[in-house]
Amino acid sequence: MPATNRNTIAAGINSALTGIDGSSPYSRDLSGSGQVENVEPDGPPRTDADPYACFWLGARQDIRDGPGADLSQYAQTLDFSILGVVSQRESTAATLTAVNNLEADLIQALHDNRGLLGAVYDLEIATQTITGAGQQAGANGAYVLLAGRCFWART
């Protein structure tokens, strides 16, 4: 496993997301230029890409306690978030289908690339879709918000 830091984890997340190319098992395509970005969140995304995903890295923590802890290593975690966006479709049902498909694709890509290019040994994720009345006023389309946590160890 290479030395893990924010850059190696960001590269792994970027690789997993840009690997969503519309071919089986994926239904959406995030492989085009500008469709995946590593950002600092400052409001709704401003892009014409459809679909679109951006991600950002959060808190990092050392964990050295608990029963059976290996005192020769530091367990580490790093939180990350992904925001996926699809534009409004011809009907509410079509928009819901598109955002649900994007959610499934994001989960599949992260599960298929669980080690994030060898940077981590595991990750966990939770997702939520936001549509209709749950959107900010004036926003179009629908969102997937994915919260993740990476796990690795260092000596």
Side-chain angles (χ1 to χ4, degrees):
M1 183 178 293
T4 298
N5 60 43
R6 287 179 177 273
N7 294 331
T8 56
I9 291 171
I13 293 170
N14 189 72
S15 176
L17 298 182
T18 57
I20 299 173
D21 62 4
S23 64
S24 184
Y26 305 116
S27 62
R28 311 301 305 157
D29 185 356
L30 290 173
S31 63
S33 177
Q35 288 187 270
V36 174
E37 296 180 299
N38 182 0
V39 300
E40 287 297 322
D42 62 353
R46 292 178 276 290
T47 180
D48 292 329
D50 182 26
Y52 170 79
C54 60
F55 67 94
W56 57 96
L57 304 180
R60 179 176 173 169
Q61 181 178 353
D62 284 347
I63 302 170
R64 256 189 97 135
D65 59 359
D70 182 348
L71 298 180
S72 68
Q73 294 187 342
Y74 288 90
Q76 307 243 297
T77 66
L78 178 79
D79 295 334
F80 66 93
S81 299
I82 299 172
L83 177 65
V85 181
V86 296
S87 65
Q88 187 70 35
R89 301 297 196 258
E90 63 278 357
S91 69
T92 300
T95 303
L96 290 172
T97 298
V99 77
N100 291 339
N101 286 341
L102 181 58
E103 177 190 41
D105 287 351
L106 294 172
I107 293 167
Q108 180 78 42
L110 290 170
H111 284 175
D112 287 352
N113 298 282
R114 185 168 224 92
L116 300 178
L117 299 176
V120 302
Y121 63 76
D122 200 7
L123 57 89
E124 65 183 17
I125 56 176
T127 63
Q128 177 180 352
T129 59
I130 303 167
T131 59
Q135 298 179 56
Q136 289 185 335
N140 291 318
Y143 303 107
V144 176
L145 181 58
L146 182 146
R149 176 169 285 163
C150 304
F151 299 89
W152 74 97
R154 68 172 179 81
T155 55

PDB file of all heavy atoms in Angstrom, residues 74-112:
ATOM      1  N   TYR A  74      -1.172   3.093  13.825  1.00  0.00           N
ATOM      2  CA  TYR A  74      -2.254   4.054  14.013  1.00  0.00           C
ATOM      3  C   TYR A  74      -3.326   3.735  12.989  1.00  0.00           C
ATOM      4  O   TYR A  74      -3.063   3.773  11.792  1.00  0.00           O
ATOM      5  CB  TYR A  74      -1.774   5.489  13.743  1.00  0.00           C
ATOM      6  CG  TYR A  74      -0.872   6.066  14.784  1.00  0.00           C
ATOM      7  CD1 TYR A  74       0.501   5.908  14.685  1.00  0.00           C
ATOM      8  CD2 TYR A  74      -1.393   6.781  15.855  1.00  0.00           C
ATOM      9  CE1 TYR A  74       1.342   6.462  15.641  1.00  0.00           C
ATOM     10  CE2 TYR A  74      -0.560   7.338  16.806  1.00  0.00           C
ATOM     11  CZ  TYR A  74       0.803   7.170  16.696  1.00  0.00           C
ATOM     12  OH  TYR A  74       1.621   7.717  17.630  1.00  0.00           O
ATOM     13  N   ALA A  75      -4.517   3.429  13.463  1.00  0.00           N
ATOM     14  CA  ALA A  75      -5.639   3.336  12.536  1.00  0.00           C
ATOM     15  C   ALA A  75      -6.002   4.769  12.158  1.00  0.00           C
ATOM     16  O   ALA A  75      -5.904   5.680  12.976  1.00  0.00           O
ATOM     17  CB  ALA A  75      -6.819   2.636  13.193  1.00  0.00           C
ATOM     18  N   GLN A  76      -6.388   4.987  10.922  1.00  0.00           N
ATOM     19  CA  GLN A  76      -6.702   6.318  10.441  1.00  0.00           C
ATOM     20  C   GLN A  76      -8.037   6.296   9.707  1.00  0.00           C
ATOM     21  O   GLN A  76      -8.382   5.290   9.076  1.00  0.00           O
ATOM     22  CB  GLN A  76      -5.639   6.789   9.458  1.00  0.00           C
ATOM     23  CG  GLN A  76      -4.233   6.699   9.987  1.00  0.00           C
ATOM     24  CD  GLN A  76      -3.593   8.041  10.075  1.00  0.00           C
ATOM     25  OE1 GLN A  76      -3.407   8.688   9.068  1.00  0.00           O
ATOM     26  NE2 GLN A  76      -3.271   8.454  11.267  1.00  0.00           N
ATOM     27  N   THR A  77      -8.753   7.399   9.792  1.00  0.00           N
ATOM     28  CA  THR A  77      -9.969   7.583   8.988  1.00  0.00           C
ATOM     29  C   THR A  77      -9.904   8.941   8.315  1.00  0.00           C
ATOM     30  O   THR A  77      -9.241   9.855   8.794  1.00  0.00           O
ATOM     31  CB  THR A  77     -11.250   7.508   9.844  1.00  0.00           C
ATOM     32  OG1 THR A  77     -11.292   8.606  10.751  1.00  0.00           O
ATOM     33  CG2 THR A  77     -11.354   6.193  10.589  1.00  0.00           C
ATOM     34  N   LEU A  78     -10.592   9.039   7.206  1.00  0.00           N
ATOM     35  CA  LEU A  78     -10.771  10.322   6.519  1.00  0.00           C
ATOM     36  C   LEU A  78     -12.182  10.334   5.963  1.00  0.00           C
ATOM     37  O   LEU A  78     -12.585   9.397   5.254  1.00  0.00           O
ATOM     38  CB  LEU A  78      -9.771  10.501   5.370  1.00  0.00           C
ATOM     39  CG  LEU A  78      -9.945  11.808   4.596  1.00  0.00           C
ATOM     40  CD1 LEU A  78      -9.321  12.962   5.385  1.00  0.00           C
ATOM     41  CD2 LEU A  78      -9.298  11.722   3.236  1.00  0.00           C
ATOM     42  N   ASP A  79     -12.934  11.365   6.298  1.00  0.00           N
ATOM     43  CA  ASP A  79     -14.299  11.511   5.787  1.00  0.00           C
ATOM     44  C   ASP A  79     -14.260  12.209   4.434  1.00  0.00           C
ATOM     45  O   ASP A  79     -13.395  13.041   4.175  1.00  0.00           O
ATOM     46  CB  ASP A  79     -15.149  12.326   6.750  1.00  0.00           C
ATOM     47  CG  ASP A  79     -15.339  11.630   8.090  1.00  0.00           C
ATOM     48  OD1 ASP A  79     -15.274  10.384   8.141  1.00  0.00           O
ATOM     49  OD2 ASP A  79     -15.552  12.329   9.092  1.00  0.00           O
ATOM     50  N   PHE A  80     -15.205  11.853   3.565  1.00  0.00           N
ATOM     51  CA  PHE A  80     -15.347  12.527   2.281  1.00  0.00           C
ATOM     52  C   PHE A  80     -16.818  12.609   1.925  1.00  0.00           C
ATOM     53  O   PHE A  80     -17.645  11.877   2.469  1.00  0.00           O
ATOM     54  CB  PHE A  80     -14.553  11.820   1.168  1.00  0.00           C
ATOM     55  CG  PHE A  80     -15.041  10.441   0.821  1.00  0.00           C
ATOM     56  CD1 PHE A  80     -15.957  10.240  -0.199  1.00  0.00           C
ATOM     57  CD2 PHE A  80     -14.568   9.337   1.510  1.00  0.00           C
ATOM     58  CE1 PHE A  80     -16.399   8.968  -0.525  1.00  0.00           C
ATOM     59  CE2 PHE A  80     -15.000   8.053   1.190  1.00  0.00           C
ATOM     60  CZ  PHE A  80     -15.917   7.866   0.177  1.00  0.00           C
ATOM     61  N   SER A  81     -17.140  13.529   1.040  1.00  0.00           N
ATOM     62  CA  SER A  81     -18.514  13.699   0.566  1.00  0.00           C
ATOM     63  C   SER A  81     -18.510  13.783  -0.946  1.00  0.00           C
ATOM     64  O   SER A  81     -17.566  14.297  -1.544  1.00  0.00           O
ATOM     65  CB  SER A  81     -19.128  14.987   1.130  1.00  0.00           C
ATOM     66  OG  SER A  81     -19.178  14.942   2.536  1.00  0.00           O
ATOM     67  N   ILE A  82     -19.565  13.267  -1.535  1.00  0.00           N
ATOM     68  CA  ILE A  82     -19.774  13.356  -2.979  1.00  0.00           C
ATOM     69  C   ILE A  82     -21.169  13.921  -3.206  1.00  0.00           C
ATOM     70  O   ILE A  82     -22.132  13.491  -2.575  1.00  0.00           O
ATOM     71  CB  ILE A  82     -19.656  11.981  -3.663  1.00  0.00           C
ATOM     72  CG1 ILE A  82     -18.264  11.390  -3.459  1.00  0.00           C
ATOM     73  CG2 ILE A  82     -20.005  12.083  -5.158  1.00  0.00           C
ATOM     74  CD1 ILE A  82     -18.120   9.952  -3.944  1.00  0.00           C
ATOM     75  N   LEU A  83     -21.263  14.886  -4.102  1.00  0.00           N
ATOM     76  CA  LEU A  83     -22.551  15.421  -4.516  1.00  0.00           C
ATOM     77  C   LEU A  83     -22.731  15.082  -5.986  1.00  0.00           C
ATOM     78  O   LEU A  83     -21.924  15.489  -6.825  1.00  0.00           O
ATOM     79  CB  LEU A  83     -22.603  16.939  -4.331  1.00  0.00           C
ATOM     80  CG  LEU A  83     -23.885  17.623  -4.804  1.00  0.00           C
ATOM     81  CD1 LEU A  83     -25.072  17.175  -3.961  1.00  0.00           C
ATOM     82  CD2 LEU A  83     -23.733  19.127  -4.764  1.00  0.00           C
ATOM     83  N   GLY A  84     -23.753  14.306  -6.299  1.00  0.00           N
ATOM     84  CA  GLY A  84     -24.082  13.966  -7.674  1.00  0.00           C
ATOM     85  C   GLY A  84     -25.310  14.754  -8.106  1.00  0.00           C
ATOM     86  O   GLY A  84     -26.235  14.952  -7.314  1.00  0.00           O
ATOM     87  N   VAL A  85     -25.326  15.203  -9.362  1.00  0.00           N
ATOM     88  CA  VAL A  85     -26.419  16.046  -9.854  1.00  0.00           C
ATOM     89  C   VAL A  85     -26.912  15.510 -11.193  1.00  0.00           C
ATOM     90  O   VAL A  85     -26.106  15.171 -12.067  1.00  0.00           O
ATOM     91  CB  VAL A  85     -25.933  17.506 -10.052  1.00  0.00           C
ATOM     92  CG1 VAL A  85     -27.071  18.390 -10.536  1.00  0.00           C
ATOM     93  CG2 VAL A  85     -25.320  18.050  -8.779  1.00  0.00           C
ATOM     94  N   VAL A  86     -28.218  15.456 -11.340  1.00  0.00           N
ATOM     95  CA  VAL A  86     -28.839  15.213 -12.649  1.00  0.00           C
ATOM     96  C   VAL A  86     -29.797  16.363 -12.912  1.00  0.00           C
ATOM     97  O   VAL A  86     -30.406  16.908 -11.994  1.00  0.00           O
ATOM     98  CB  VAL A  86     -29.591  13.860 -12.726  1.00  0.00           C
ATOM     99  CG1 VAL A  86     -28.636  12.701 -12.570  1.00  0.00           C
ATOM    100  CG2 VAL A  86     -30.713  13.777 -11.716  1.00  0.00           C
ATOM    101  N   SER A  87     -29.937  16.743 -14.175  1.00  0.00           N
ATOM    102  CA  SER A  87     -30.837  17.842 -14.512  1.00  0.00           C
ATOM    103  C   SER A  87     -32.282  17.359 -14.536  1.00  0.00           C
ATOM    104  O   SER A  87     -32.554  16.159 -14.578  1.00  0.00           O
ATOM    105  CB  SER A  87     -30.455  18.451 -15.861  1.00  0.00           C
ATOM    106  OG  SER A  87     -30.650  17.510 -16.886  1.00  0.00           O
ATOM    107  N   GLN A  88     -33.187  18.326 -14.515  1.00  0.00           N
ATOM    108  CA  GLN A  88     -34.615  18.024 -14.577  1.00  0.00           C
ATOM    109  C   GLN A  88     -34.927  17.273 -15.865  1.00  0.00           C
ATOM    110  O   GLN A  88     -34.427  17.618 -16.930  1.00  0.00           O
ATOM    111  CB  GLN A  88     -35.418  19.334 -14.524  1.00  0.00           C
ATOM    112  CG  GLN A  88     -36.906  19.155 -14.422  1.00  0.00           C
ATOM    113  CD  GLN A  88     -37.317  18.612 -13.066  1.00  0.00           C
ATOM    114  OE1 GLN A  88     -36.721  18.937 -12.063  1.00  0.00           O
ATOM    115  NE2 GLN A  88     -38.338  17.779 -13.057  1.00  0.00           N
ATOM    116  N   ARG A  89     -35.730  16.254 -15.787  1.00  0.00           N
ATOM    117  CA  ARG A  89     -36.154  15.475 -16.947  1.00  0.00           C
ATOM    118  C   ARG A  89     -37.566  15.881 -17.354  1.00  0.00           C
ATOM    119  O   ARG A  89     -38.184  16.748 -16.736  1.00  0.00           O
ATOM    120  CB  ARG A  89     -36.103  13.975 -16.634  1.00  0.00           C
ATOM    121  CG  ARG A  89     -34.716  13.461 -16.218  1.00  0.00           C
ATOM    122  CD  ARG A  89     -33.730  13.638 -17.356  1.00  0.00           C
ATOM    123  NE  ARG A  89     -32.507  12.868 -17.197  1.00  0.00           N
ATOM    124  CZ  ARG A  89     -31.350  13.357 -16.799  1.00  0.00           C
ATOM    125  NH1 ARG A  89     -31.223  14.622 -16.503  1.00  0.00           N
ATOM    126  NH2 ARG A  89     -30.286  12.578 -16.716  1.00  0.00           N
ATOM    127  N   GLU A  90     -38.095  15.207 -18.354  1.00  0.00           N
ATOM    128  CA  GLU A  90     -39.414  15.555 -18.888  1.00  0.00           C
ATOM    129  C   GLU A  90     -40.548  15.294 -17.906  1.00  0.00           C
ATOM    130  O   GLU A  90     -41.647  15.827 -18.049  1.00  0.00           O
ATOM    131  CB  GLU A  90     -39.674  14.819 -20.206  1.00  0.00           C
ATOM    132  CG  GLU A  90     -39.720  13.300 -20.096  1.00  0.00           C
ATOM    133  CD  GLU A  90     -38.354  12.619 -20.097  1.00  0.00           C
ATOM    134  OE1 GLU A  90     -37.317  13.291 -20.235  1.00  0.00           O
ATOM    135  OE2 GLU A  90     -38.321  11.385 -19.944  1.00  0.00           O
ATOM    136  N   SER A  91     -40.293  14.486 -16.888  1.00  0.00           N
ATOM    137  CA  SER A  91     -41.315  14.210 -15.870  1.00  0.00           C
ATOM    138  C   SER A  91     -40.633  13.974 -14.535  1.00  0.00           C
ATOM    139  O   SER A  91     -39.428  13.694 -14.473  1.00  0.00           O
ATOM    140  CB  SER A  91     -42.133  12.966 -16.249  1.00  0.00           C
ATOM    141  OG  SER A  91     -41.324  11.801 -16.163  1.00  0.00           O
ATOM    142  N   THR A  92     -41.414  14.088 -13.477  1.00  0.00           N
ATOM    143  CA  THR A  92     -40.882  13.814 -12.137  1.00  0.00           C
ATOM    144  C   THR A  92     -40.385  12.385 -12.054  1.00  0.00           C
ATOM    145  O   THR A  92     -39.322  12.117 -11.493  1.00  0.00           O
ATOM    146  CB  THR A  92     -41.968  14.069 -11.078  1.00  0.00           C
ATOM    147  OG1 THR A  92     -42.385  15.435 -11.167  1.00  0.00           O
ATOM    148  CG2 THR A  92     -41.455  13.778  -9.688  1.00  0.00           C
ATOM    149  N   ALA A  93     -41.129  11.455 -12.625  1.00  0.00           N
ATOM    150  CA  ALA A  93     -40.726  10.046 -12.589  1.00  0.00           C
ATOM    151  C   ALA A  93     -39.384   9.842 -13.288  1.00  0.00           C
ATOM    152  O   ALA A  93     -38.528   9.097 -12.799  1.00  0.00           O
ATOM    153  CB  ALA A  93     -41.801   9.174 -13.234  1.00  0.00           C
ATOM    154  N   ALA A  94     -39.180  10.505 -14.417  1.00  0.00           N
ATOM    155  CA  ALA A  94     -37.910  10.366 -15.144  1.00  0.00           C
ATOM    156  C   ALA A  94     -36.757  10.978 -14.350  1.00  0.00           C
ATOM    157  O   ALA A  94     -35.640  10.444 -14.348  1.00  0.00           O
ATOM    158  CB  ALA A  94     -38.018  11.020 -16.518  1.00  0.00           C
ATOM    159  N   THR A  95     -37.011  12.096 -13.666  1.00  0.00           N
ATOM    160  CA  THR A  95     -35.975  12.708 -12.831  1.00  0.00           C
ATOM    161  C   THR A  95     -35.620  11.785 -11.676  1.00  0.00           C
ATOM    162  O   THR A  95     -34.438  11.591 -11.362  1.00  0.00           O
ATOM    163  CB  THR A  95     -36.430  14.074 -12.295  1.00  0.00           C
ATOM    164  OG1 THR A  95     -36.777  14.913 -13.398  1.00  0.00           O
ATOM    165  CG2 THR A  95     -35.359  14.743 -11.464  1.00  0.00           C
ATOM    166  N   LEU A  96     -36.621  11.196 -11.038  1.00  0.00           N
ATOM    167  CA  LEU A  96     -36.375  10.252  -9.940  1.00  0.00           C
ATOM    168  C   LEU A  96     -35.591   9.039 -10.421  1.00  0.00           C
ATOM    169  O   LEU A  96     -34.666   8.580  -9.746  1.00  0.00           O
ATOM    170  CB  LEU A  96     -37.694   9.820  -9.300  1.00  0.00           C
ATOM    171  CG  LEU A  96     -38.411  10.884  -8.489  1.00  0.00           C
ATOM    172  CD1 LEU A  96     -39.792  10.398  -8.085  1.00  0.00           C
ATOM    173  CD2 LEU A  96     -37.595  11.280  -7.278  1.00  0.00           C
ATOM    174  N   THR A  97     -35.951   8.523 -11.587  1.00  0.00           N
ATOM    175  CA  THR A  97     -35.213   7.390 -12.138  1.00  0.00           C
ATOM    176  C   THR A  97     -33.760   7.753 -12.388  1.00  0.00           C
ATOM    177  O   THR A  97     -32.842   7.006 -12.048  1.00  0.00           O
ATOM    178  CB  THR A  97     -35.877   6.901 -13.444  1.00  0.00           C
ATOM    179  OG1 THR A  97     -37.198   6.446 -13.138  1.00  0.00           O
ATOM    180  CG2 THR A  97     -35.083   5.779 -14.082  1.00  0.00           C
ATOM    181  N   ALA A  98     -33.522   8.939 -12.956  1.00  0.00           N
ATOM    182  CA  ALA A  98     -32.156   9.375 -13.257  1.00  0.00           C
ATOM    183  C   ALA A  98     -31.322   9.533 -11.985  1.00  0.00           C
ATOM    184  O   ALA A  98     -30.168   9.089 -11.929  1.00  0.00           O
ATOM    185  CB  ALA A  98     -32.176  10.684 -14.047  1.00  0.00           C
ATOM    186  N   VAL A  99     -31.877  10.156 -10.941  1.00  0.00           N
ATOM    187  CA  VAL A  99     -31.106  10.361  -9.712  1.00  0.00           C
ATOM    188  C   VAL A  99     -30.899   9.036  -8.984  1.00  0.00           C
ATOM    189  O   VAL A  99     -29.834   8.800  -8.401  1.00  0.00           O
ATOM    190  CB  VAL A  99     -31.725  11.442  -8.807  1.00  0.00           C
ATOM    191  CG1 VAL A  99     -32.941  10.945  -8.042  1.00  0.00           C
ATOM    192  CG2 VAL A  99     -30.674  11.995  -7.859  1.00  0.00           C
ATOM    193  N   ASN A 100     -31.886   8.148  -9.014  1.00  0.00           N
ATOM    194  CA  ASN A 100     -31.711   6.828  -8.388  1.00  0.00           C
ATOM    195  C   ASN A 100     -30.649   6.011  -9.115  1.00  0.00           C
ATOM    196  O   ASN A 100     -29.865   5.291  -8.485  1.00  0.00           O
ATOM    197  CB  ASN A 100     -33.036   6.072  -8.339  1.00  0.00           C
ATOM    198  CG  ASN A 100     -34.017   6.688  -7.363  1.00  0.00           C
ATOM    199  OD1 ASN A 100     -33.636   7.425  -6.454  1.00  0.00           O
ATOM    200  ND2 ASN A 100     -35.296   6.412  -7.555  1.00  0.00           N
ATOM    201  N   ASN A 101     -30.609   6.119 -10.440  1.00  0.00           N
ATOM    202  CA  ASN A 101     -29.572   5.428 -11.207  1.00  0.00           C
ATOM    203  C   ASN A 101     -28.186   5.992 -10.887  1.00  0.00           C
ATOM    204  O   ASN A 101     -27.215   5.242 -10.768  1.00  0.00           O
ATOM    205  CB  ASN A 101     -29.836   5.526 -12.708  1.00  0.00           C
ATOM    206  CG  ASN A 101     -30.975   4.636 -13.146  1.00  0.00           C
ATOM    207  OD1 ASN A 101     -31.358   3.698 -12.467  1.00  0.00           O
ATOM    208  ND2 ASN A 101     -31.539   4.944 -14.300  1.00  0.00           N
ATOM    209  N   LEU A 102     -28.082   7.315 -10.753  1.00  0.00           N
ATOM    210  CA  LEU A 102     -26.798   7.916 -10.409  1.00  0.00           C
ATOM    211  C   LEU A 102     -26.347   7.464  -9.020  1.00  0.00           C
ATOM    212  O   LEU A 102     -25.182   7.134  -8.814  1.00  0.00           O
ATOM    213  CB  LEU A 102     -26.873   9.446 -10.482  1.00  0.00           C
ATOM    214  CG  LEU A 102     -25.566  10.180 -10.150  1.00  0.00           C
ATOM    215  CD1 LEU A 102     -24.429   9.752 -11.073  1.00  0.00           C
ATOM    216  CD2 LEU A 102     -25.786  11.685 -10.220  1.00  0.00           C
ATOM    217  N   GLU A 103     -27.280   7.420  -8.082  1.00  0.00           N
ATOM    218  CA  GLU A 103     -26.951   6.943  -6.736  1.00  0.00           C
ATOM    219  C   GLU A 103     -26.405   5.516  -6.802  1.00  0.00           C
ATOM    220  O   GLU A 103     -25.362   5.212  -6.206  1.00  0.00           O
ATOM    221  CB  GLU A 103     -28.184   6.990  -5.832  1.00  0.00           C
ATOM    222  CG  GLU A 103     -27.936   6.431  -4.437  1.00  0.00           C
ATOM    223  CD  GLU A 103     -29.210   6.263  -3.635  1.00  0.00           C
ATOM    224  OE1 GLU A 103     -30.227   5.817  -4.213  1.00  0.00           O
ATOM    225  OE2 GLU A 103     -29.182   6.568  -2.443  1.00  0.00           O
ATOM    226  N   ALA A 104     -27.087   4.647  -7.539  1.00  0.00           N
ATOM    227  CA  ALA A 104     -26.644   3.250  -7.671  1.00  0.00           C
ATOM    228  C   ALA A 104     -25.267   3.173  -8.321  1.00  0.00           C
ATOM    229  O   ALA A 104     -24.416   2.369  -7.914  1.00  0.00           O
ATOM    230  CB  ALA A 104     -27.668   2.448  -8.478  1.00  0.00           C
ATOM    231  N   ASP A 105     -25.022   4.021  -9.328  1.00  0.00           N
ATOM    232  CA  ASP A 105     -23.719   4.025 -10.004  1.00  0.00           C
ATOM    233  C   ASP A 105     -22.602   4.484  -9.074  1.00  0.00           C
ATOM    234  O   ASP A 105     -21.504   3.912  -9.085  1.00  0.00           O
ATOM    235  CB  ASP A 105     -23.757   4.921 -11.241  1.00  0.00           C
ATOM    236  CG  ASP A 105     -24.543   4.314 -12.393  1.00  0.00           C
ATOM    237  OD1 ASP A 105     -24.918   3.124 -12.313  1.00  0.00           O
ATOM    238  OD2 ASP A 105     -24.784   5.047 -13.372  1.00  0.00           O
ATOM    239  N   LEU A 106     -22.848   5.505  -8.271  1.00  0.00           N
ATOM    240  CA  LEU A 106     -21.834   5.979  -7.326  1.00  0.00           C
ATOM    241  C   LEU A 106     -21.487   4.888  -6.319  1.00  0.00           C
ATOM    242  O   LEU A 106     -20.309   4.633  -6.041  1.00  0.00           O
ATOM    243  CB  LEU A 106     -22.317   7.238  -6.600  1.00  0.00           C
ATOM    244  CG  LEU A 106     -22.504   8.491  -7.443  1.00  0.00           C
ATOM    245  CD1 LEU A 106     -23.171   9.594  -6.618  1.00  0.00           C
ATOM    246  CD2 LEU A 106     -21.187   8.972  -8.017  1.00  0.00           C
ATOM    247  N   ILE A 107     -22.507   4.235  -5.778  1.00  0.00           N
ATOM    248  CA  ILE A 107     -22.278   3.147  -4.824  1.00  0.00           C
ATOM    249  C   ILE A 107     -21.503   2.012  -5.483  1.00  0.00           C
ATOM    250  O   ILE A 107     -20.521   1.506  -4.928  1.00  0.00           O
ATOM    251  CB  ILE A 107     -23.620   2.642  -4.249  1.00  0.00           C
ATOM    252  CG1 ILE A 107     -24.260   3.731  -3.376  1.00  0.00           C
ATOM    253  CG2 ILE A 107     -23.423   1.348  -3.453  1.00  0.00           C
ATOM    254  CD1 ILE A 107     -25.713   3.458  -3.014  1.00  0.00           C
ATOM    255  N   GLN A 108     -21.926   1.601  -6.677  1.00  0.00           N
ATOM    256  CA  GLN A 108     -21.254   0.513  -7.400  1.00  0.00           C
ATOM    257  C   GLN A 108     -19.786   0.847  -7.655  1.00  0.00           C
ATOM    258  O   GLN A 108     -18.897   0.021  -7.443  1.00  0.00           O
ATOM    259  CB  GLN A 108     -21.961   0.262  -8.726  1.00  0.00           C
ATOM    260  CG  GLN A 108     -21.353  -0.845  -9.572  1.00  0.00           C
ATOM    261  CD  GLN A 108     -21.750  -2.216  -9.085  1.00  0.00           C
ATOM    262  OE1 GLN A 108     -22.912  -2.431  -8.741  1.00  0.00           O
ATOM    263  NE2 GLN A 108     -20.809  -3.138  -9.031  1.00  0.00           N
ATOM    264  N   ALA A 109     -19.517   2.074  -8.114  1.00  0.00           N
ATOM    265  CA  ALA A 109     -18.138   2.467  -8.426  1.00  0.00           C
ATOM    266  C   ALA A 109     -17.259   2.443  -7.183  1.00  0.00           C
ATOM    267  O   ALA A 109     -16.108   1.984  -7.243  1.00  0.00           O
ATOM    268  CB  ALA A 109     -18.120   3.856  -9.064  1.00  0.00           C
ATOM    269  N   LEU A 110     -17.764   2.913  -6.065  1.00  0.00           N
ATOM    270  CA  LEU A 110     -16.967   2.899  -4.837  1.00  0.00           C
ATOM    271  C   LEU A 110     -16.793   1.487  -4.297  1.00  0.00           C
ATOM    272  O   LEU A 110     -15.712   1.131  -3.831  1.00  0.00           O
ATOM    273  CB  LEU A 110     -17.584   3.820  -3.789  1.00  0.00           C
ATOM    274  CG  LEU A 110     -17.475   5.306  -4.129  1.00  0.00           C
ATOM    275  CD1 LEU A 110     -18.323   6.141  -3.178  1.00  0.00           C
ATOM    276  CD2 LEU A 110     -16.028   5.774  -4.115  1.00  0.00           C
ATOM    277  N   HIS A 111     -17.840   0.663  -4.377  1.00  0.00           N
ATOM    278  CA  HIS A 111     -17.698  -0.731  -3.942  1.00  0.00           C
ATOM    279  C   HIS A 111     -16.720  -1.487  -4.832  1.00  0.00           C
ATOM    280  O   HIS A 111     -15.926  -2.295  -4.340  1.00  0.00           O
ATOM    281  CB  HIS A 111     -19.050  -1.427  -3.932  1.00  0.00           C
ATOM    282  CG  HIS A 111     -19.908  -1.047  -2.770  1.00  0.00           C
ATOM    283  ND1 HIS A 111     -21.203  -1.490  -2.636  1.00  0.00           N
ATOM    284  CD2 HIS A 111     -19.678  -0.264  -1.680  1.00  0.00           C
ATOM    285  CE1 HIS A 111     -21.720  -1.015  -1.520  1.00  0.00           C
ATOM    286  NE2 HIS A 111     -20.821  -0.258  -0.931  1.00  0.00           N
ATOM    287  N   ASP A 112     -16.764  -1.239  -6.136  1.00  0.00           N
ATOM    288  CA  ASP A 112     -15.851  -1.921  -7.064  1.00  0.00           C
ATOM    289  C   ASP A 112     -14.403  -1.456  -6.900  1.00  0.00           C
ATOM    290  O   ASP A 112     -13.485  -2.159  -7.316  1.00  0.00           O
ATOM    291  CB  ASP A 112     -16.283  -1.689  -8.514  1.00  0.00           C
ATOM    292  CG  ASP A 112     -17.534  -2.464  -8.884  1.00  0.00           C
ATOM    293  OD1 ASP A 112     -17.993  -3.303  -8.078  1.00  0.00           O
ATOM    294  OD2 ASP A 112     -18.071  -2.211  -9.986  1.00  0.00           O
TER     295      ASP A 112
END
